[in-house]
Amino acid sequence: MTVFIRFRRTATLGALVSALALAPALLAQATPKTTAGRDTGHVRLDTAAILASARPEIEAANAAWVPGLKQHDAKSIAAPYADSGLFIAGNGTVTRGREAVARMYEGRFPKLRPIRAGGIVQDGLAVLAPTRIVEWGHGWLEMDAEGAGAPPVRSGGSYVTVWERQADGHWRIVRNMAF
C-alpha cells in the first residue's frame, strides 16, 4: 500500500509539474490564425535562438554529472545551479542554493557504491519565456555489485529541470526535481 501511495503521489506531482511547466511554453509558441486588426501585445519567441543559447551549458552540466559522482566532486555537480536554485528530491526534500546542493552530494558520497556507468538522457526541452527553459528526461547509474557474484546495482529516475538565464548571461538551474 505504501508503494502505491508513493507512486500515486509521485505520479500526481509529475503530472502537475509537467502541466505547469509545459502549458506556458505551448501557449507562448502558439500562432494565432490571424493577427490582422488586433494587437495583443504578445511577442513571438524565437525558441530556436533561445534553445541554441542554452544548449551548450545544459549539455555540459548533464555531461559532468556522472564524472562528478565518480570523482566525488560535489562542486562540479552543483556548479550549474543558481545561487538560490532548488534541488527537490523524490521524497520531497528541498535543498536550496548551490552550496547546499554541493553539501547534499558530499553527504551522499560515503554511501555511494563505485560507479561503473551512467548518464542523463534528455527527453525534451521547451522554452517557457525568453530567459526560462524546462528540460525533462531520466538519469541512471550502474554501480558495483553488493557482493561477490551478485549483478551490478542499477538505479535511476526521471527529472524535470528549470533553467534560467542569469544577469551574467549564463544559464543556471533554478529548479531541479528528481522522481
mmCIF file of all heavy atoms in Angstrom, residues 12-29:
data_model
loop_
_atom_site.group_PDB
_atom_site.id
_atom_site.type_symbol
_atom_site.label_atom_id
_atom_site.label_comp_id
_atom_site.label_asym_id
_atom_site.label_seq_id
_atom_site.Cartn_x
_atom_site.Cartn_y
_atom_site.Cartn_z
ATOM 1 N N THR A 12 1.293 12.018 -9.468
ATOM 2 C CA THR A 12 0.483 13.240 -9.419
ATOM 3 C C THR A 12 1.383 14.464 -9.456
ATOM 4 O O THR A 12 1.121 15.415 -10.188
ATOM 5 C CB THR A 12 -0.380 13.255 -8.144
ATOM 6 O OG1 THR A 12 -1.193 12.082 -8.140
ATOM 7 C CG2 THR A 12 -1.248 14.487 -8.083
ATOM 8 N N LEU A 13 2.469 14.455 -8.674
ATOM 9 C CA LEU A 13 3.412 15.568 -8.676
ATOM 10 C C LEU A 13 4.031 15.730 -10.062
ATOM 11 O O LEU A 13 4.135 16.843 -10.572
ATOM 12 C CB LEU A 13 4.509 15.346 -7.631
ATOM 13 C CG LEU A 13 5.600 16.420 -7.566
ATOM 14 C CD1 LEU A 13 4.992 17.769 -7.214
ATOM 15 C CD2 LEU A 13 6.653 16.026 -6.569
ATOM 16 N N GLY A 14 4.407 14.631 -10.688
ATOM 17 C CA GLY A 14 4.988 14.690 -12.029
ATOM 18 C C GLY A 14 4.024 15.279 -13.040
ATOM 19 O O GLY A 14 4.402 16.105 -13.871
ATOM 20 N N ALA A 15 2.766 14.876 -12.969
ATOM 21 C CA ALA A 15 1.762 15.406 -13.897
ATOM 22 C C ALA A 15 1.545 16.894 -13.661
ATOM 23 O O ALA A 15 1.447 17.679 -14.605
ATOM 24 C CB ALA A 15 0.450 14.645 -13.739
ATOM 25 N N LEU A 16 1.497 17.294 -12.400
ATOM 26 C CA LEU A 16 1.302 18.702 -12.072
ATOM 27 C C LEU A 16 2.484 19.542 -12.553
ATOM 28 O O LEU A 16 2.304 20.581 -13.191
ATOM 29 C CB LEU A 16 1.117 18.882 -10.566
ATOM 30 C CG LEU A 16 0.995 20.327 -10.076
ATOM 31 C CD1 LEU A 16 -0.243 20.985 -10.677
ATOM 32 C CD2 LEU A 16 0.934 20.353 -8.563
ATOM 33 N N VAL A 17 3.701 19.086 -12.270
ATOM 34 C CA VAL A 17 4.898 19.819 -12.689
ATOM 35 C C VAL A 17 4.935 19.923 -14.207
ATOM 36 O O VAL A 17 5.206 20.990 -14.764
ATOM 37 C CB VAL A 17 6.173 19.130 -12.155
ATOM 38 C CG1 VAL A 17 7.412 19.676 -12.828
ATOM 39 C CG2 VAL A 17 6.260 19.309 -10.654
ATOM 40 N N SER A 18 4.638 18.822 -14.891
ATOM 41 C CA SER A 18 4.642 18.837 -16.356
ATOM 42 C C SER A 18 3.614 19.821 -16.903
ATOM 43 O O SER A 18 3.901 20.590 -17.813
ATOM 44 C CB SER A 18 4.360 17.439 -16.903
ATOM 45 O OG SER A 18 5.396 16.570 -16.532
ATOM 46 N N ALA A 19 2.431 19.807 -16.335
ATOM 47 C CA ALA A 19 1.384 20.714 -16.811
ATOM 48 C C ALA A 19 1.767 22.164 -16.570
ATOM 49 O O ALA A 19 1.613 23.012 -17.452
ATOM 50 C CB ALA A 19 0.057 20.396 -16.118
ATOM 51 N N LEU A 20 2.287 22.460 -15.382
ATOM 52 C CA LEU A 20 2.681 23.836 -15.078
ATOM 53 C C LEU A 20 3.856 24.295 -15.927
ATOM 54 O O LEU A 20 3.933 25.448 -16.329
ATOM 55 C CB LEU A 20 3.040 23.966 -13.596
ATOM 56 C CG LEU A 20 1.876 23.844 -12.622
ATOM 57 C CD1 LEU A 20 2.388 23.841 -11.196
ATOM 58 C CD2 LEU A 20 0.876 24.959 -12.829
ATOM 59 N N ALA A 21 4.765 23.375 -16.209
ATOM 60 C CA ALA A 21 5.953 23.743 -16.975
ATOM 61 C C ALA A 21 5.671 23.862 -18.463
ATOM 62 O O ALA A 21 6.179 24.753 -19.134
ATOM 63 C CB ALA A 21 7.061 22.718 -16.738
ATOM 64 N N LEU A 22 4.864 22.973 -18.996
ATOM 65 C CA LEU A 22 4.673 22.932 -20.439
ATOM 66 C C LEU A 22 3.570 23.851 -20.953
ATOM 67 O O LEU A 22 3.655 24.335 -22.075
ATOM 68 C CB LEU A 22 4.389 21.499 -20.889
ATOM 69 C CG LEU A 22 5.563 20.538 -20.700
ATOM 70 C CD1 LEU A 22 5.161 19.142 -21.113
ATOM 71 C CD2 LEU A 22 6.772 21.004 -21.454
ATOM 72 N N ALA A 23 2.545 24.104 -20.165
ATOM 73 C CA ALA A 23 1.437 24.931 -20.646
ATOM 74 C C ALA A 23 1.896 26.315 -21.109
ATOM 75 O O ALA A 23 1.555 26.732 -22.214
ATOM 76 C CB ALA A 23 0.350 25.050 -19.579
ATOM 77 N N PRO A 24 2.698 27.045 -20.318
ATOM 78 C CA PRO A 24 3.138 28.357 -20.805
ATOM 79 C C PRO A 24 3.971 28.256 -22.085
ATOM 80 O O PRO A 24 3.875 29.114 -22.958
ATOM 81 C CB PRO A 24 3.979 28.912 -19.648
ATOM 82 C CG PRO A 24 3.524 28.170 -18.452
ATOM 83 C CD PRO A 24 3.119 26.804 -18.952
ATOM 84 N N ALA A 25 4.778 27.214 -22.184
ATOM 85 C CA ALA A 25 5.603 27.059 -23.386
ATOM 86 C C ALA A 25 4.742 26.832 -24.615
ATOM 87 O O ALA A 25 4.980 27.414 -25.674
ATOM 88 C CB ALA A 25 6.577 25.900 -23.212
ATOM 89 N N LEU A 26 3.755 26.001 -24.472
ATOM 90 C CA LEU A 26 2.883 25.727 -25.609
ATOM 91 C C LEU A 26 2.074 26.964 -25.986
ATOM 92 O O LEU A 26 1.901 27.267 -27.174
ATOM 93 C CB LEU A 26 1.957 24.555 -25.294
ATOM 94 C CG LEU A 26 2.665 23.208 -25.109
ATOM 95 C CD1 LEU A 26 1.677 22.153 -24.649
ATOM 96 C CD2 LEU A 26 3.367 22.788 -26.371
ATOM 97 N N LEU A 27 1.600 27.690 -24.990
ATOM 98 C CA LEU A 27 0.852 28.914 -25.274
ATOM 99 C C LEU A 27 1.749 29.971 -25.916
ATOM 100 O O LEU A 27 1.346 30.677 -26.823
ATOM 101 C CB LEU A 27 0.223 29.470 -23.997
ATOM 102 C CG LEU A 27 -0.924 28.632 -23.421
ATOM 103 C CD1 LEU A 27 -1.334 29.184 -22.062
ATOM 104 C CD2 LEU A 27 -2.101 28.595 -24.378
ATOM 105 N N ALA A 28 2.983 30.072 -25.444
ATOM 106 C CA ALA A 28 3.903 31.071 -25.985
ATOM 107 C C ALA A 28 4.264 30.787 -27.436
ATOM 108 O O ALA A 28 4.527 31.692 -28.213
ATOM 109 C CB ALA A 28 5.181 31.116 -25.142
ATOM 110 N N GLN A 29 4.259 29.508 -27.814
ATOM 111 C CA GLN A 29 4.651 29.137 -29.160
ATOM 112 C C GLN A 29 3.467 29.066 -30.112
ATOM 113 O O GLN A 29 3.648 28.904 -31.312
ATOM 114 C CB GLN A 29 5.380 27.792 -29.130
ATOM 115 C CG GLN A 29 6.683 27.877 -28.363
ATOM 116 C CD GLN A 29 7.362 26.545 -28.284
ATOM 117 O OE1 GLN A 29 7.355 25.797 -29.235
ATOM 118 N NE2 GLN A 29 7.952 26.247 -27.146
#
